[in-house]
Amino acid sequence: MGLNKKSVDDINVAGKRVLVRCDFNVPLKDGEITDETRIVAALPTIQKLLKDGGKVILCSHLGKVKNGPNEGESLAPVAKRLSEKLGKDVNFVSDYNVTGEAATKAVEEMKEGDVVLLQNTRFRGAEETKNGEQFSKELADLCDVYVCDAFGSSHRAHASVAGVTDVVRAKGGECAVGYLMQKEIDFLGNAVENPVRPFVAILGGAKVADKLNVINNLIEKCDTLIIGGGMAFTFLKAKGYEIGKSLVDDEKLEYCRDMMKKAEEKGKKLLLPIDTTIADSFPNPIDAPIDVEVVDADKIPADKEGLDIGTKTAELYAEAVKSAKTVVWNGPMGVFENPTLAKGTIAVAKALAETDATTIIGGGDSAAAVNQLGFADKMSHISTGGGASLEFLEGKSLPGVAAADDK
């Protein structure tokens, strides 16, 4: 898992150029940042490096950048907000080349305690291809020390996440993780590798296919595995139930049977919905008013669709969480974006908020649900990376974590 990594507390950065890979992939509307959570989350690492006398160079991607560099995905708004948050000028290098002459000059002129922000790393094109090797070298040329604090990108072996570390190390520099990465490694890593028991894992979301390896890995690790969301219907069909027009992955029925058998053989509890909230069809638009009824999980009519767990299931799942000491939750219980179909997700979030257990929310939709429903401050840890936290829960080694120096 790579849990014993050098952090910013283990390195001396006084007078050194420190390149920090952040996650500034913030939502923008008309050039304005609509949610600054990721910027705020990066501040402790940046402030620590400044306090220790480092020359801090920040880099990040923003958006998907499908059609080449564009002002709509520039990091300029991030530079502005960062300057306000840090109470000091952040020198933004707007050059689309990211590491070109403008960046080199800006870094050369830095004094201890200065901050430079490079342009969107994705503007350089495919960071993970051959082009990535040159880009890794150019990034490494700008710094003496490298710090990765972008957990949300740590599952990608990109130049600014992993490639740069080899070059920094080759010239005698150190590679560490920031506070945000450290927190993710501590919470997610310990939950999976060394949980305080009973350990309950809750998996939701739409597709079984997205969570194949997570289910398999968590049955090995947890005491109780709770399944909700759209993926539950593939399990219910695998049990021989009629699921009507509900979401199903027919290719994964055998897999679901295998997982139920594995749980039984290992003496693990695998909880599936005992009742379901059904409607005629999926709401359109997603938050439109909708008529629903709750039926037993084995009584879904052929012309109806299950869109949330039912009330008895919500009670069953809440009860299972009560006695837990560690809970990991990834994926909502239903179509939580719709007020009528959010009840199951709210019930689970409420149960987590009221327990004394260490509660870890695995990024993505679960994080969005917990934030949206107002339970965020009651959770021990909300992961900043959806895909990365899933791969962590699968037991995979993440390139961004593996690339940091061991202590």
Side-chain angles (χ1 to χ4, degrees):
M1 263 298 178
L3 303 179
N4 197 26
K5 294 294 182 181
K6 267 189 194 172
S7 85
V8 286
D9 288 328
D10 303 312
I11 55 176
N12 174 15
V13 299
K16 291 179 183 172
R17 302 167 303 160
V18 189
L19 178 68
V20 188
R21 174 56 158 96
C22 299
D23 184 359
F24 293 144
N25 187 20
V26 294
L28 292 171
K29 191 173 183 190
D30 303 323
E32 293 295 320
I33 296 165
T34 56
D35 181 351
E36 60 180 31
T37 308
R38 285 176 167 166
I39 293 175
V40 173
L43 294 175
T45 295
I46 298 168
Q47 285 160 336
K48 161 74 175 163
L49 295 168
L50 291 172
K51 184 169 142 290
D52 290 354
K55 302 171 182 179
V56 180
I57 307 145
L58 307 172
C59 69
S60 172
H61 78 283
L62 194 157
K64 299 257 191 271
V65 191
K66 291 226 169 17
N67 303 312
N70 67 87
E71 274 308 296
E73 288 169 309
S74 165
L75 284 174
V78 173
K80 184 166 168 273
R81 189 65 59 90
L82 260 178
S83 296
E84 291 162 10
K85 295 277 175 202
L86 290 169
K88 68 183 326 168
D89 186 45
V90 171
N91 182 7
F92 177 56
V93 181
S94 58
D95 178 13
Y96 285 179
N97 187 46
V98 188
T99 50
E101 274 177 43
T104 308
K105 186 170 183 293
V107 170
E108 273 172 7
E109 291 170 358
M110 288 178 87
K111 296 180 180 67
E112 288 182 17
D114 282 354
V115 185
V116 163
L117 173 64
L118 303 177
Q119 185 54 282
N120 187 340
T121 56
R122 297 257 167 104
F123 282 6
R124 270 295 284 264
E127 262 204 89
E128 69 280 12
T129 60
K130 272 289 181 204
N131 165 44
E133 287 180 25
Q134 181 58 30
F135 190 27
S136 297
K137 185 184 175 310
E138 289 171 24
L139 285 167
D141 284 345
L142 294 175
C143 70
D144 309 301
V145 176
Y146 171 79
V147 173
C148 187
D149 210 21
F151 182 74
S153 300
S154 65
H155 58 313
R156 306 193 187 284
H158 287 178
S160 63
V161 175
V164 61
T165 60
D166 292 332
V167 197
V168 169
R169 220 176 270 115
K171 63 178 191 174
E174 291 179 287
C175 300
V177 296
Y179 288 136
L180 193 58
M181 281 279 280
Q182 187 63 54
K183 196 176 172 209
E184 297 276 10
I185 292 167
D186 289 347
F187 273 101
L188 282 165
N190 287 331
V192 177
E193 293 305 315
N194 193 23
V196 181
R197 296 187 182 278
F199 172 26
V200 175
I202 307 169
L203 291 178
K207 298 189 186 98
V208 175
D210 294 346
K211 306 220 164 101
L212 288 178
N213 299 328
V214 181
I215 296 167
N216 198 11
N217 193 41
L218 287 178
I219 286 175
E220 300 277 349
K221 312 277 187 185
C222 70
D223 302 298
T224 300
L225 178 60
I226 293 174
I227 304 278
M231 63 193 277
F233 298 106
T234 304
F235 277 90
L236 294 176
K237 186 170 180 180
K239 285 184 80 164
Y241 293 2
E242 166 65 61
I243 59 161
K245 298 189 297 184
S246 308
L247 195 67
V248 66
D249 187 346
D250 284 318
E251 287 178 15
K252 298 292 178 283
L253 291 169
E254 198 51 49
Y255 172 84
C256 290
R257 289 187 198 103
D258 288 346
M259 290 302 110
M260 291 189 276
K261 186 164 173 259
K262 181 176 175 175
E264 196 180 343
E265 285 168 358
K266 291 190 169 288
K268 307 294 176 88
K269 268 191 202 163
L270 195 154
L271 300 182
L272 294 169
I274 50 175
D275 62 348
T276 304
T277 301
I278 59 170
D280 290 334
S281 59
F282 200 86
N284 182 21
I286 201 163
D287 56 355
I290 187 169
D291 292 324
V292 299
E293 59 180 309
V294 178
V295 298
D296 287 346
D298 59 350
K299 306 268 188 319
I300 300 173
D303 61 342
K304 301 278 187 182
E305 183 173 354
L307 296 168
D308 190 16
I309 56 172
T311 40
K312 286 189 288 193
T313 304
E315 283 168 26
L316 173 74
Y317 290 2
E319 194 57 41
V321 165
K322 268 183 195 163
S323 59
K325 289 280 181 271
T326 306
V327 186
V328 171
W329 178 19
N330 188 294
M333 297 292 101
V335 187
F336 77 96
E337 300 90 343
N338 186 297
T340 310
L341 301 169
K343 288 177 182 161
T345 302
I346 290 171
V348 169
K350 196 164 176 295
L352 263 68
E354 288 168 0
T355 179
D356 295 331
T358 298
T359 48
I360 299 155
I361 312 301
D365 280 345
S366 343
V370 167
N371 282 316
Q372 207 171 302
L373 302 169
F375 291 104
D377 60 337
K378 302 280 195 299
M379 304 302 162
S380 311
H381 179 63
I382 298 176
S383 178
T384 52
S389 64
L390 261 186
E391 292 198 14
F392 221 100
L393 294 176
E394 279 180 36
K396 278 189 181 173
S397 171
L398 307 186
V401 177
D405 295 344
D406 292 324
K407 273 191 189 177

